[in-house]
Structures are given as structure tokens and as C-alpha cells.
Amino acid sequence: MKRILLLLVLVGTGVGCSHVNAYERGKLAHPTMTPGGMGGPGEEHMYSVQEGATGGDTAGGGGCGCN
Amino acid sequence: MGVATASPSARAEGNLTAKVGAETSVFQDSNATTVFTPTLAAGVESPTAGWGVNGRYLVDVVSAASPDIVSTASRRWMEVRHAGNLGLRYKPGNTGFAINGSTSYTPDYLSFSGSGTFTQDLDDKNLTLIASYGLGYDRIGKTGTPFSVFSRDFVYHMISAAVSRVVSSSTIFTVVGDLQLERGDQSKPYRFIPLFSPQDAGKIGAGASPDLVSNLRLQEKPLEQLPLARDRYSLTGRLATRFSGSTLRLDERLYADSWNMKGTTTDGRYMIDLGERVTVWPHLRFHYQSPVDFWKLAYVSNGPADIPKLRTGDRELGQLINVGTGLGFRWALGSAGDKNAWVLTATVDGVYTKFFEALYVTQRLSVLGVLNLEATF
């Protein structure tokens, strides 16, 4: 738990990170750098059914809707 | 492998951008389950004003004849699921809001959910905070029986917080924490659990055949019964880094819940540019989970008055390993001045699953093929 809290503090405060200006963000704007997960809805649905775990998306989604 | 088509008819007006997409996926596994899923998606946004609206509709056509179905002497069944969602977002500056609603329907399962997301950019957009809350309501029934005659309510709350940090001009790191609180009886109304005498339980090994289970089980065959509440926690780290001609994506998720399941999931993609229009990538995924604390390979009973209070036959609640590998392909088909106006994406993923302590099967192979075409105007 201490390691997780330390990680969150480091990410939040930006320790070890560079300050990147808007004109330096060409690479960050590339289509493969989207902040969300890379899997499409079909792939995400498959993993949600085959794995007992859940989570990782930044926004809530709908239920599986399967019985 | 699926086939998709799109017939975009949207038109750009002023600073509006319209997107239309069509996706088709086909899933097949070694337990005789097939899922065919066509999806349509559309969206309109104003990048300058900061608002956007999008929607998606999909149909799952599921056909199954798994060993669980065979063991109950039932026939192969087919079911169609309809699902849709609608999202609105507004982010004119550093602060943004989004709402999303989704629903899905099968004759025996009705699902509604809604969520709201707050986004705040800080430190000249080098740091982004995201918080969301979602509420879901499912109604679980039985095919051929009206919901008014038999149904169970299942409610879940989804709380999420994320911190996304620009590490350098080529790297972003994101941490996502999720809490999902589930309340209600989500036991499968079709899933019967075989019980065994103390003497016979030891004769049941992993992957025991339907014939052996049928010969040794007791006459009582109760339905599955899961706990009525489940609290689920996950913490995900997501790294995206861009090199001169490639992108590395790595996700790691740690999971635990109040049913005492613990899990780890690692997902990686290395996306390589082949020229300006084509990107290809290998995909690897590994998932391990421990069983829930009431999991048993063979539930023991000493008679009709001695039924285990909690019981399940859901293999995805048992101990398992998934090892997945796949390939992806992205082709920008637009004109020279706007290459990403049309994008074709194709992926094929295979997953091998090892079930450590489950009846009927000890492993599963599955393949998912997805073809997606998206147009932007």
C-alpha cells in the first residue's frame, strides 16, 4: 500500500517529469497515444467475460447484459 | 474474421467534425461458443467549442453448446442481445464534463446504466485529473418467463479516479483506481450445481467428464447461489511512449474483491509504423486470478438438508490463467491531405485459458477477429 501511495504522489506531483509545452506535443498527439485503453468494444467485452477481474477504464460503462 | 462496411453520409459544416464507424467481430472458442457482433457508431463534435456527442449500437448473436449445456442434456441455444449507448461531453477549456448512458436487452436480461465524468487539466495540461461515478441497474430473468413472473434486481455503483501525467514529450503515464459495489443476486438462474457425497467427492478431478459427474452426483441439484454483495477494487497503471517510428503501450492491472478473488492482468502492444499510412502491432496479454473463497471443484453434501449455502459452477470465478496473443493492423485510407479521414483497422486475438479446478474442461482456446472502418468528415 505504501508503494502505491508513493506512486500516486510521484505521478501527481510530477517528480522526475519534464514540463512539456503545447508546441512540443507532436508525438503525444499521435493516434496511437490516446489516453484510454487500445481495445475496441468487442475485445473489451471478450476480456470482461473471460476474466473475473474488472476495471481500468477511466469512465463507468454498461453491464455485460448477459446471463 | 468479420466483414464490415460503412456508408458515411455526414458532411462537415463550419468547425463540426462527424465520425461514422462500422465494426464487425466474430468470436469462437473450443467450448462451441460462437458470437457474431456487428456494431454501428456515430459521433459529432466541435473541437473548437469543446463539445461532442456520440452513440453506438451493437447486436450480439450468441450460439452455444458448451459442456455445461451438454451436461444438463440441453440443446444448443442461440440468443440475440441488443446494446446501445449515448454519450455527451463538454470541455471548453481546462475543465470538462461528460455523461453517458447505456442499455442492453436479451429476453432474459435487461440492463441500464448511466455515468458522469469530471475532467480537470492542470499544470498547462501536463497533469489531468479524472473522476467518474456510474450507476447500473440490471433485471435478471429467464427466457420464456415474463419479468413480472420471475426477475431479480441487480444494482451496481462504479466509482473511478484517474491521474494522467505527461512524463516527457513522448511519454504519458496514467494511474486509474476503480471501485465497483455490486448489490443483488447475480446467480445464474440456469446454472445447476452438482453435489457429491463425502465419499465420492474425492473421485472428482479437474476436467471430470459429464458422464462421471452424472454417475456420482447426488439427486439434489440446486441452482447456483452467489453472495448478495460484491465489492471490487482495481488499480491500473498505463504507460504510452512514442518513439520515432513506433509506440509502446503497457497496461498493468491489480485486482481484488470481497469474494477474496485476487488477480493481475498485463497487456502490451508495440505499434510499428510501416510508412505514413500503415501501422501494425503485436499484442500480448496475460491474466491470472485466484478463486473466490467459496469455490469448490466438488461441493459436498450429506443429504437434502445439507446444501452448501454458497455454490457456483462459473469457471470465471475459479483459479485460471489466460495467455493471449494477437496482431493488429491500421490503414489510413484518406486523401494525401487528410490520411486519417478513412481508417481501416483489423485485429485477430487468440486466448489460451487454463482452468485449474473446474468440472468438464481444463482448458479453452478462443479466437476473436475484429474489422473496423471509420470515416471522419
Side-chain angles (χ1 to χ4, degrees):
Chain A
M1 181 55 80
K2 286 180 181 175
R3 289 179 182 177
I4 291 171
L5 289 174
L6 179 62
L7 175 67
L8 291 174
V9 169
L10 290 176
V11 171
T13 56
V15 172
C17 300
S18 312
H19 184 90
V20 179
N21 294 304
Y23 58 82
E24 299 173 304
R25 297 189 180 188
K27 286 184 175 178
L28 300 179
H30 194 269
T32 56
M33 293 289 285
T34 52
M38 291 301 293
E43 190 182 318
E44 288 181 4
H45 186 63
M46 178 181 75
Y47 293 131
S48 73
V49 172
Q50 293 192 337
E51 297 170 355
T54 185
D57 296 323
T58 49
C64 165
C66 40
N67 207 354
Chain B
M1 194 65 209
V3 178
T5 59
S7 301
S9 58
R11 180 180 298 171
E13 290 184 9
N15 63 355
L16 291 184
T17 299
K19 283 188 178 181
V20 181
E23 178 177 301
T24 295
S25 65
V26 177
F27 171 87
Q28 172 77 53
D29 75 13
S30 56
N31 289 340
T33 299
T34 305
V35 184
F36 172 71
T37 309
T39 303
L40 288 173
V44 179
E45 65 178 9
S46 170
T48 52
W51 63 265
V53 55
N54 62 80
R56 193 174 71 210
Y57 170 72
L58 67 83
V59 178
D60 269 339
V61 182
V62 183
S63 171
S66 69
D68 309 273
I69 295 170
V70 174
S71 71
T72 59
S74 302
R75 292 181 176 181
R76 169 181 280 271
W77 56 265
M78 180 179 283
E79 189 169 74
V80 178
R81 181 177 77 108
H82 300 267
N85 69 42
L86 186 65
L88 302 168
R89 63 185 185 281
Y90 182 58
K91 189 169 182 289
N94 289 330
T95 304
F97 303 92
I99 55 172
N100 188 74
S102 61
T103 182
S104 72
Y105 168 81
T106 64
D108 62 351
Y109 205 112
L110 189 57
S111 175
F112 299 99
S113 70
S115 66
T117 302
F118 170 78
T119 305
Q120 179 66 51
D121 291 331
L122 300 169
D123 191 20
D124 295 333
K125 298 197 175 187
N126 280 263
L127 177 66
T128 302
L129 307 179
I130 304 167
S132 76
Y133 169 75
L135 176 64
Y137 167 75
D138 292 1
R139 203 157 194 204
I140 303 170
K142 288 181 180 175
T143 297
T145 304
F147 283 113
S148 58
V149 175
F150 173 86
S151 69
R152 294 176 182 143
D153 292 340
F154 176 58
V155 176
Y156 45 99
H157 304 266
M158 300 163 287
I159 300 155
S160 176
V163 180
S164 186
R165 161 62 72 176
V166 174
V167 177
S168 69
S169 60
S170 58
T171 301
I172 301 175
F173 186 64
T174 303
V175 178
V176 186
D178 288 288
L179 168 62
Q180 185 159 319
L181 306 173
E182 301 176 351
R183 299 293 181 268
D185 192 351
Q186 49 187 307
S187 312
K188 301 291 186 291
Y190 306 111
R191 182 172 286 148
F192 292 95
I193 308 301
L195 303 178
F196 302 92
S197 68
Q199 297 76 29
D200 287 338
K203 300 173 185 171
I204 299 294
S209 69
D211 284 345
L212 179 64
V213 170
S214 179
N215 288 335
L216 294 181
R217 74 171 181 83
L218 299 175
Q219 194 165 4
E220 298 83 35
K221 204 174 182 184
L223 285 166
E224 178 181 66
Q225 184 58 61
L226 302 172
L228 302 182
R230 188 182 193 185
D231 298 342
R232 314 176 76 177
Y233 314 90
S234 73
L235 185 70
T236 304
R238 178 172 292 141
L239 178 74
T241 189
R242 177 76 185 157
F243 304 105
S244 59
S246 60
T247 301
L248 176 65
R249 303 284 305 239
L250 285 175
D251 287 9
E252 171 61 32
R253 178 181 65 192
L254 301 174
Y255 172 87
D257 67 30
S258 59
W259 294 0
N260 212 24
M261 176 184 284
K262 295 178 176 63
T264 175
T265 308
T266 307
D267 190 291
R269 288 171 169 85
Y270 185 58
M271 310 169 94
I272 305 159
D273 301 343
L274 298 180
E276 292 186 347
R277 291 179 178 272
V278 177
T279 305
V280 296
W281 62 92
H283 176 208
L284 293 172
R285 187 177 179 94
F286 174 81
H287 172 78
Y288 169 77
Q289 66 184 47
S290 64
V292 295
D293 52 15
F294 54 93
W295 175 268
K296 301 278 185 200
L297 172 63
Y299 286 89
V300 174
S301 169
N302 289 299
D306 181 33
I307 307 294
K309 185 180 172 187
L310 299 174
R311 49 198 184 265
T312 183
D314 184 352
R315 282 186 284 274
E316 272 69 34
L317 293 179
Q319 184 184 17
L320 64 81
I321 283 179
N322 282 339
V323 180
T325 184
L327 284 173
F329 170 86
R330 183 183 188 274
W331 187 11
L333 296 165
S335 61
D338 192 7
K339 298 182 185 69
N340 290 310
W342 287 82
V343 175
L344 178 71
T345 307
T347 60
V348 178
D349 284 279
V351 179
Y352 169 77
T353 303
K354 167 71 177 173
F355 300 105
F356 288 88
E357 272 205 321
L359 296 176
Y360 312 136
V361 294
T362 57
Q363 59 185 1
R364 175 183 59 204
L365 281 171
S366 59
V367 177
L368 175 74
V370 181
L371 193 60
N372 182 293
L373 183 62
E374 186 174 87
T376 306
F377 303 90

